Amino acid sequence: MKNTLILYSSVDGHTLKICDTIARHLEQQGHRAHLIAIEQATTEMLIQYGKIVIGASIRYGKHRKNLIEFIRSNKAILDDKTCCFFSVNLVARKADKNTPETNPYLQKLLQKLDWQPSLLSVFAGKVDYQKYAFFDRIMIQLIMWMTKGPTDINSVIDYTDWQAVGTFSQQIAEH
């Protein structure tokens, strides 16, 4: 039985939901999966696991600072393990930006950190205007208007391809 650590960096909880789904898939494949927020992970914890999965969301075109700091601080350990990474962002709802090779946010992060995980994926996120704070709602609405996405404040649209999440989970299990 393999032990897998799943770390998440999430703003509104959707990345956590994807990580939880991956954990359940891995457990069905006979893996032990431990799910924890990235800010709670320690170096000692990383050393205990043979496989590490990191899921991170984008807000305003950037991954969160806690993710960048975590990877920089632990890069040597991550490079020595089977490390899988996925990014969650709304631009991935577009067919020409929904792969690791074509997603600009993922590519920018990997170049910035000079990092190459064993396995990569990108998932489209979720729009839920009512869940956002006022400023976030207005900013996301503006971004969606500029990118021809939904702007109705009553919109709740989950763009995540859950079958792709299942496929990625299987790939993680086989790695």
Side-chain angles (χ1 to χ4, degrees):
M1 181 176 295
K2 293 189 177 185
N3 289 327
T4 303
L5 179 62
I6 303 175
L7 303 172
Y8 63 91
S9 174
S10 188
V11 177
D12 297 309
H14 194 68
T15 301
L16 171 58
K17 182 177 178 180
I18 293 170
C19 285
D20 187 57
T21 300
I22 290 170
R24 283 187 282 114
H25 280 279
L26 290 175
E27 288 169 352
Q28 290 169 357
Q29 297 291 319
H31 293 250
R32 272 197 206 130
H34 184 200
L35 181 61
I36 189 166
I38 202 161
E39 55 269 10
Q40 295 175 339
T42 64
T43 301
E44 294 76 26
M45 191 180 292
L46 296 177
I47 293 168
Q48 296 174 24
Y49 291 86
K51 191 177 295 184
I52 300 168
V53 178
I54 303 172
S57 62
I58 294 286
R59 182 56 64 95
Y60 306 130
K62 296 182 180 181
H63 287 92
R64 296 174 69 205
K65 287 181 184 178
N66 66 348
L67 170 77
I68 307 244
E69 291 168 6
F70 176 83
I71 293 170
R72 282 190 174 140
S73 297
N74 296 288
K75 190 172 179 302
I77 296 169
L78 296 173
D79 286 345
D80 195 42
K81 304 267 182 181
T82 298
C83 188
C84 309
F85 179 80
F86 68 91
S87 179
V88 179
N89 55 80
L90 285 170
V91 77
R93 75 187 190 281
K94 298 181 176 190
D96 63 336
K97 297 200 179 7
N98 68 359
T99 68
E101 298 78 23
T102 62
N103 188 270
Y105 302 127
L106 178 57
Q107 287 301 312
K108 183 178 176 182
L109 177 74
L110 296 175
Q111 289 172 4
K112 179 178 188 174
L113 296 172
D114 189 29
W115 184 48
Q116 191 58 50
S118 308
L119 187 62
L120 293 167
S121 196
V122 176
F123 303 115
K126 179 180 178 179
V127 172
D128 188 350
Y129 286 112
Q130 295 300 309
K131 192 173 187 177
Y132 305 141
F134 176 76
F135 178 77
D136 288 333
R137 184 179 316 132
I138 298 302
M139 292 304 293
I140 293 170
Q141 201 172 24
L142 175 63
I143 292 165
M144 292 304 275
W145 176 77
M146 291 179 353
T147 62
K148 300 183 182 357
T151 58
D152 177 357
I153 63 166
N154 296 309
S155 294
V156 178
I157 303 169
D158 183 351
Y159 288 103
T160 308
D161 179 343
W162 292 100
Q163 185 174 352
V165 172
T167 300
F168 184 62
S169 302
Q170 185 63 39
Q171 292 170 336
I172 293 168
E174 293 169 358
H175 244 76

